[in-house]
Amino acid sequence: MKPSNVLTLPGWQSSGPKHWQTLWEQRHGYQRVEQHDWMQPLRGDWITRLEEVVLGLDEPGILVAHSLGCQLVAAWAAISRNTERVQGALLVAPGDVERPELGAALYSWRPIALQRLPFRSALVASQNDPYCSFARARQFATAWGSQFFDHGEVGHINADSHLGSWPEGHVLLQDLLNI
C-alpha cells in the first residue's frame, strides 16, 4: 500500500507538531485528512470531507484515527456507500462525545454511531484517558467489532502522553496493513 493511502484523522483541534499522527505523516508520508474547522467540528462537514478524500484514493486505504477521529470513522461508516474503499482502521483513544462536559462543543456528534464497522479495525485505549473511560472505550470496541488493546495508563495517547513517534502503535498499524 502506498503511504498516501494511509489517512490520518486527527480529533478535535487537530494534532500538533509533537503528536504521533504528525510524526507518522512526516516519517512515513501518510496523508492527513484536513478539516474545514478543527475548533468547531460539525459531524456532517467532517463526514463529507472524509468521503471526498476516500473517493480520491486510487486503491483502498487505511484510516488512522485519534479521539474525535474515531467517532468520525464510525459516523462515516454508518452512512457511506463507499466503505469498501477502506481496508481497515486503527482507532486510538476514542473521545466520548456523550460526556456532559463535551455536550456544548460537540453537540452535532450525538448520538454516537454504534454500528459494526464493515472493515477490520483495532481500538487502542488508555486506562486513564480523561476524555473516555476505559469501560466506555471497550463498549465502543465491542459495538464496532474492533480488536481491543489496553495501552495501560498513558492519558489520551497524544503528545501529552510523551510517546514520541509511538512505535508500538505503528506495529499495530503494520498489522492492519498486512491484512
Side-chain angles (χ1 to χ4, degrees):
M1 174 174 295
K2 293 190 299 191
S4 61
N5 285 2
V6 177
L7 304 178
T8 61
L9 308 173
W12 183 22
Q13 303 176 22
S14 195
S15 294
K18 294 183 180 181
H19 194 286
W20 57 267
Q21 283 184 314
T22 304
L23 299 174
W24 287 8
E25 291 161 6
Q26 292 168 352
R27 179 173 292 170
H28 304 289
Y30 302 155
Q31 177 187 177
R32 177 171 296 194
V33 175
E34 291 290 349
Q35 295 293 344
H36 172 70
D37 191 340
W38 290 109
M39 303 310 285
Q40 297 179 353
L42 297 175
R43 180 163 57 181
D45 291 348
W46 281 35
I47 289 171
T48 299
R49 179 66 183 134
L50 177 55
E51 182 82 354
E52 290 170 352
V53 174
V54 166
L55 287 173
L57 296 176
D58 57 357
E59 62 185 50
I62 295 281
L63 306 177
V64 179
H66 180 259
S67 195
L68 189 60
C70 299
Q71 300 299 343
L72 171 59
V73 171
W76 172 81
I79 64 167
S80 176
R81 294 184 180 160
N82 297 295
T83 57
E84 76 284 349
R85 298 189 56 76
V86 169
Q87 205 174 7
L90 178 62
L91 309 168
V92 181
D96 185 354
V97 298
E98 293 180 348
R99 292 173 70 111
E101 66 272 22
L102 298 176
L106 302 175
Y107 65 90
S108 73
W109 292 86
R110 296 175 178 196
I112 293 173
L114 294 173
Q115 293 89 342
R116 185 174 184 84
L117 297 176
F119 38 77
R120 184 175 171 196
S121 62
L123 189 149
V124 183
S126 169
Q127 296 175 17
N128 63 343
D129 188 331
Y131 302 107
C132 184
S133 73
F134 191 69
R136 185 73 160 149
R138 189 180 296 275
Q139 288 175 341
F140 292 149
T142 299
W144 296 335
S146 304
Q147 187 175 2
F148 185 79
F149 293 93
D150 176 351
H151 203 51
E153 295 186 358
V154 291
H156 195 46
I157 312 179
N158 58 7
D160 293 338
S161 301
H162 306 290
L163 300 171
S165 64
W166 193 36
E168 301 89 353
H170 204 257
V171 168
L172 292 174
L173 175 62
Q174 293 303 311
D175 288 344
L176 279 173
L177 290 171
N178 294 323
I179 294 171

